[in-house]
Amino acid sequence: MKSSAPASITFRLRRLITASLCLCAPVVIAGCQQPHGDALDRLLIGEVMMHSEFAANLRTLAMPGGRLTGTPNAELAGQFVADKLRAYGLQNVHFEPFEMSCWTVRETRVTLLTDPPRVLEGAVALARTIATPPEGVTAELTDLGEGTEEQFAAGAAELPGRFVLTRDTHQHRGDRLRWARERGAVGLVVMSDPNHEPVIGNGHRTPRPEPGVVIRHDEDLLERLKNGEHPRLNIYLDTDNWDCRPNNVVAELPGRGPLAREIVILCAHLDSWHLAEGAMDNGSGSAVILETARALARAGEQPRRTIRFIWFMGEEQMLEGSEAYVRAHADELDRVVAVVNVDMPGSPRRFGVFGHHEIEPFLRSLSANLAGYELDAEIGAWSGDGSDHAPFMKQGVCTLSLGGELGPGVKGYHTAGDTYDSVDRRGTVQSAAVLAVVVRHLADVPERPTRRLPPAEPDNAK
Ligand SMILES: [Zn+2]
């Protein structure tokens, strides 16, 4: 997500201290200009800023080896979140299992068969390739540049029996793996930019044998290809593929009165990739909404609408958990007032909405109430279907998010650099405070500020 340029540190510190003083105090301190926000807002913000358990919870969730869906780490993380929710006093804490195809990898080894052979260090396998034979798969490599669909078509004659090399571009790697397979290639090798570590991602939608790997930038290899060589590569992958039944974690603060049937959802994906600790993506979002849940429960005010918190699994493997959830809860979607998805929140900057312009005035007034946080007055008009808001969005439900500043740690996204230390904890905890206020107002505003739109046409391209 795009974020605004950071203000000077002194200025930001001063604003933050002012914000904490003004908003933490249950009564407005003389001289502080904090209009609009009522006592409950100040209580929620104070609870997060003074008694946050965000960093401690993130420390637990940021596990070496990450929380890849279906693995023991992911299960432990789900149990940890559920236990915390019960301890915090949330209601209806439960698991909702769903079916998907899980995958882990024990070893990824890519060897350039020169004399002597050279192992390409740091290579990363794309998800859902099944294990290669013990001797790996050996083939010549052919270079298709950026790897556009046109380049695949133009180079088709060269592909049978070979690996395809492409650069790492925005084109989905799964598409390229599919085009390679359809033209008889035996696998895909994606080369990273010179200044970036290999980025993990999805390969096959269902388990398949053609390996897909991402390698570091390699001048020697490029030189050989430029000189017309077709260097031979051996790719060895030791993986597990199995049908699994992971759990989404769900909890509620039940509403009161006639609006209790309406639902405000605050969600984040709890799963991660396995290359590091899955701290920023999305241990940070998971710990933020856990902190929001804690503060709202602690405040003890029963909202008008029901607030539902969801930690999804399977997000990294193409949103499996949220898609399953939306299918299972199809008959409730009319009653979902809004879905607030939290994926790598960072330090809060601005609200963004996916299509539902009718909610903008509501969000603008909240941004003004939260003036101490320097949120942009402008509401982002966002698009994209790369996180768990998407299955709801496609069903016409109002989906929104809070965009933020991630700091230098963003370089670790989907790489071996996504560790606890890469998360700006002091900035990110503020997102929990802002979200507590947002969710509370969405749940309490007398007039529903959103309406459900007709579902989008099914996307046949996928
Ligand atoms: Zn994510």
Side-chain angles (χ1 to χ4, degrees), residues 269 271 280-282 315-316 343-344 386-387 413-414:
H269 72 86
D271 68 306
M280 180 175 290
D281 186 14
N282 186 33
E315 192 270 355
E316 299 293 7
D343 196 348
M344 302 205 294
S387 188
Y413 168 72
H414 283 194

Side-chain angles (χ1 to χ4, degrees), residues 24-199:
C24 293
V27 286
V28 178
I29 297 166
C32 276
Q33 295 296 311
Q34 283 305 328
H36 318 308
D38 64 13
L40 181 54
D41 286 355
R42 292 192 292 277
L43 186 73
L44 289 169
I45 291 168
E47 182 60 36
V48 173
M49 298 314 290
M50 312 279 278
H51 306 292
S52 162
E53 296 188 12
F54 165 76
N57 288 337
L58 176 62
R59 182 60 281 182
T60 303
L61 291 174
M63 305 170 183
R67 302 171 306 280
L68 198 58
T69 302
T71 62
N73 272 10
E75 227 165 280
L76 278 173
Q79 196 59 57
F80 171 76
V81 168
D83 289 347
K84 280 285 171 191
L85 290 165
R86 289 191 187 98
Y88 293 159
L90 276 287
Q91 314 248 320
N92 195 15
V93 180
H94 64 282
F95 294 129
E96 296 195 14
F98 63 96
E99 320 266 326
M100 65 174 264
S101 161
C102 280
W103 175 86
T104 60
V105 59
R106 271 180 298 273
E107 189 178 350
T108 302
R109 196 172 62 232
V110 182
T111 312
L112 185 60
L113 298 176
T114 44
D115 188 15
R118 178 163 66 90
V119 172
L120 306 184
E121 300 292 343
V124 163
L126 296 175
R128 289 202 176 112
T129 307
I130 62 177
T132 60
E135 69 279 14
V137 177
T138 297
E140 290 181 343
L141 188 64
T142 202
D143 188 5
L144 284 190
E146 301 271 289
T148 62
E149 196 162 11
E150 293 71 34
Q151 285 169 314
F152 269 88
E158 292 210 29
L159 301 191
R162 285 185 169 150
F163 291 128
V164 177
L165 178 78
T166 75
R167 308 301 173 275
D168 205 2
T169 63
H170 289 301
Q171 179 68 50
H172 196 283
R173 277 89 66 94
D175 290 339
R176 281 180 267 170
L177 200 43
R178 181 164 49 82
W179 298 332
R181 182 179 81 228
E182 285 166 359
R183 293 177 172 86
V186 294
L188 173 75
V189 179
V190 176
M191 190 184 285
S192 306
D193 297 338
N195 302 318
H196 213 287
E197 281 295 293
V199 173

Side-chain angles (χ1 to χ4, degrees), residues 323-388:
E323 282 189 354
Y325 184 90
V326 165
R327 276 196 302 276
H329 292 261
D331 59 349
E332 270 176 6
L333 297 180
D334 281 338
R335 293 190 273 122
V336 176
V337 170
V339 174
V340 185
N341 184 46
V342 185
D343 196 348
M344 302 205 294
S347 173
R349 283 291 172 270
R350 75 195 303 209
F351 296 112
V353 189
F354 297 84
H356 281 253
H357 302 296
E358 77 278 11
I359 199 178
E360 287 177 8
F362 173 86
L363 291 176
R364 256 195 297 276
S365 76
L366 275 183
S367 293
N369 285 358
L370 289 159
Y373 287 94
E374 299 174 50
L375 299 177
D376 283 4
E378 204 54 43
I379 306 301
W382 291 344
S383 58
D385 56 4
S387 188
D388 288 319

